[in-house]
Amino acid sequence: MTDLLPVVVVHGGAGFIPKERLQLSISGVCAAVRTGHAILKGGGSSMDAVVETVIQLENNPAFNAGCGSVLNVKGEVEMDAIVMDGKTLASGAVSAVRNIANPIQLARLVMDKTSHACLTAEGANQFARSMGIEEVPQESLITEYSRMRWRKNLAPDANPVESQMGKAGTVGAVAVDLEGNVACATSTGGMLNKMEGRVGDTPIIGSGGYADNQSGAVSTTGHGETIMKITLARLILFHMEQGRSVEDASDLGLACMQSRLGGLGGVVTVDPQGHWAARFSSKQMSWAAAQRDIMHYGLYTGEHFTQSIN
């Protein structure tokens, strides 16, 4: 089965993407997946691959992470991120961080350099400074698009559901390297016009992501409060431990979230043998995967395009 390895799968967030931003979203995930694929083909670890892939998405203003993050009710950026290593179950996360260009990098440092699993807000920023991570001006993380959506949602007659539509998406990646080790990484700017200090599913182990060499790895996207209530990433891996395929397990987890709570979302999932899935219950989710020098990608349910990665 090792001829399926290595593999990397990324998502650019589940939801509704306005027509004028569709191409940005698809080209963004395709470019990011090439980065992860190159690392894995060169013998790099799954952890290196998912972190570098997500850094590229954080640096792309088309997504709700890093420099494209949505704004909280005060018009400020607060970001969450998580990484998890399937070989050791080591994990690192940050929540409500400000002035950091790449929260995923900081999450990895929490995993590698501390005895903790998650640092939050000012404590996470202090840790970033101690690690030599440069703080960036908040303005550099705010796009005109994010500001426009924020203003629109402040209007007294704003429809919160409609306002969430058209938001850029949380980003994430899962990978299996040549050694068969799995890893996940997820990063987000959170929910549009959220309360200050609100933390969603992304930095929560088992919700925003989970990785275990004994079952697989998942990165999630969607309505955070709903994802947390059913611990979506862990639920999908539970189904895989019961013998379900990556596709079936992903669909079962998403169906449970929808039937119990009415929540929509999406996931990218891999197992240690290199089988993978990109599944979602929302209208759209931009996703891409790279395996055996072939790139796979799509945006709508049932859509699956392929091309040579070279």
Side-chain angles (χ1 to χ4, degrees), residues 20 55 57-58 88 130 153 199 224 229 240 258 286-287:
E20 68 276 9
I55 283 174
L57 293 165
E58 288 175 337
T88 60
S130 75
N153 205 24
V199 174
K229 286 171 190 168
M240 285 164 64
Q258 193 166 0
S286 60
W287 63 270

Side-chain angles (χ1 to χ4, degrees), residues 74-262:
K74 288 174 72 177
E76 299 165 344
V77 168
E78 291 181 302
M79 301 164 290
D80 307 329
I82 192 170
V83 296
M84 189 163 180
D85 181 341
K87 186 179 182 179
T88 60
L89 301 188
S91 183
V94 292
S95 64
V97 294
R98 299 166 181 259
N99 304 90
I100 301 288
N102 297 112
I104 203 72
Q105 200 181 6
L106 188 55
R108 184 172 188 177
L109 285 169
V110 171
M111 178 179 77
D112 289 344
K113 304 290 186 187
T114 80
S115 58
H116 302 317
C118 185
L119 292 179
T120 196
E122 180 50 31
N125 278 85
Q126 281 174 18
F127 173 65
R129 289 191 283 273
S130 75
M131 288 285 112
I133 290 190
E134 193 184 332
E135 296 203 343
V136 298
Q138 176 157 242
E139 285 305 305
S140 70
L141 301 173
I142 299 178
T143 62
E144 269 315 305
Y145 184 73
S146 292
R147 194 171 266 123
M148 176 272 287
R149 303 237 34 112
W150 171 72
R151 278 202 205 98
K152 218 170 174 177
N153 205 24
L154 285 178
D157 59 345
N159 173 345
V161 175
E162 206 174 272
S163 299
Q164 285 304 319
M165 288 166 65
K167 72 179 175 64
T170 291
V171 302
V174 290
V176 196
D177 58 29
L178 288 165
E179 310 273 298
N181 294 317
V182 302
C184 71
T186 313
S187 180
T188 191
M191 184 183 273
L192 188 64
N193 290 51
K194 62 190 177 182
M195 290 172 67
E196 190 176 7
R198 177 264 186 186
V199 174
D201 66 292
T202 295
I204 309 297
I205 295 176
S207 294
Y210 201 85
D212 182 352
N213 278 8
Q214 293 183 11
S215 48
V218 183
S219 170
T220 68
T221 168
H223 183 241
E225 280 69 9
T226 313
I227 290 172
M228 282 190 275
K229 286 171 190 168
I230 65 155
T231 55
L232 181 59
R234 195 65 194 82
L235 177 61
I236 288 168
L237 291 176
F238 165 77
H239 287 304
M240 285 164 64
E241 287 159 5
Q242 306 303 304
R244 298 283 189 162
S245 69
V246 283
E247 290 92 349
D248 285 353
S250 301
D251 288 344
L252 282 165
L254 289 166
C256 171
M257 187 165 97
Q258 193 166 0
S259 64
R260 290 296 304 274
L261 298 159

